[in-house]
Amino acid sequence: MWRDFGACRAEAVLGDLTLQRVDAIVNAANTTLLGGGGVDGAIHRAGGPAILAACRLLNGCETGDAKFTTGGNLPARYVIHTVGPIYRDGTHGEPELLARCHRRSLRLAQELGLKSIAFPAISCGVYGYPVPAAARIAIGEVRHVLEEGSSIEIVRFVLFSQDVYDSYSRALEE
Ligand code: AR6
């Protein structure tokens, strides 16, 4: 499923983020940036120790912010580490923080001069964000940033299961 926003293509695919041949993949990290489970664990396993070594120099990352490191052994040149909100009930700033993760990651990619970036479903695993709502926020914010004008040509959402893929596809169609 894909859709063009301005000169940029946004797409949703079912797959493994760590295998993507893009300029940067985005990690759904935690504030320590020192690794964890889920997609974070998969990125560190596939990318090797260079990513953790680079993360140690970054002093963590606040929720809603983003920082970058090398991609190590990954096909992607960079990993952009962002920290999504832990979902409580939706009234504790979760939507704004989730939107900010996407905005900060895209801005960082633009500052690095990148043309392609791939996101996972940030906050949709351990952090418990209801997937349809997270998908609408993620796609809405990406659209917003791209329509402001951007050097980025491809934004790919790489979803690990059919239900998550379906939610992101639906949000792209809306
Ligand atoms: N490719 C694409 N998506 C994946 C992959 C993969 N290889 N592996 C898992 N997912 P989560 P969060 C999906 O829990 O909710 C970590 O411990 C997964 O099915 O990775 O933001 C961090 O260190 C789900 O749909 O991230 C933090 O402590 C989505 O990625 C915490 O988890 C996100 O799930 C962050 O939690």
Side-chain angles (χ1 to χ4, degrees):
M1 173 65 206
W2 53 267
R3 181 150 173 202
D4 289 336
F5 298 134
C8 181
R9 175 151 299 184
E11 58 189 23
V13 303
L14 194 53
D16 183 341
L17 185 70
T18 64
L19 301 178
Q20 302 302 309
R21 297 192 175 279
V22 287
D23 295 330
I25 63 171
V26 178
N27 183 14
N30 59 62
T31 55
T32 70
L33 295 188
L34 297 180
V39 73
D40 192 3
I43 287 170
H44 282 280
R45 275 194 303 279
I51 299 176
L52 185 58
C55 282
R56 287 193 194 285
L57 305 176
L58 293 178
N59 244 325
C61 182
E62 284 180 24
T63 302
D65 202 0
K67 296 185 176 181
F68 75 94
T69 65
T70 171
N73 301 326
L74 293 167
R77 177 147 168 233
Y78 296 103
V79 176
I80 293 177
H81 306 264
T82 191
V83 183
I86 298 172
Y87 189 83
R88 289 165 67 188
D89 59 6
T91 70
H92 291 81
E94 297 96 326
E96 295 76 13
L97 288 166
L98 187 60
R100 197 180 302 159
C101 285
H102 292 82
R103 183 161 64 245
R104 294 283 306 125
S105 297
L106 290 170
R107 293 270 178 252
L108 206 46
Q110 275 173 233
E111 285 163 26
L112 290 165
L114 309 187
K115 296 204 178 313
S116 56
I117 180 171
F119 284 90
I122 296 167
S123 285
C124 290
V126 175
Y127 281 2
Y129 215 112
V131 177
R136 281 193 295 273
I137 291 165
I139 302 283
E141 192 61 19
V142 164
R143 176 177 193 164
H144 191 71
V145 172
L146 294 176
E147 286 183 345
E148 284 172 354
S150 163
S151 57
I152 297 171
E153 294 170 1
I154 292 188
V155 177
R156 182 180 300 155
F157 287 91
V158 182
L159 298 323
F160 214 42
S161 61
Q162 186 68 44
D163 58 323
V164 179
Y165 171 80
D166 289 344
S167 287
Y168 277 73
S169 292
R170 226 170 286 130
L172 262 180
E173 280 167 348
E174 276 168 11

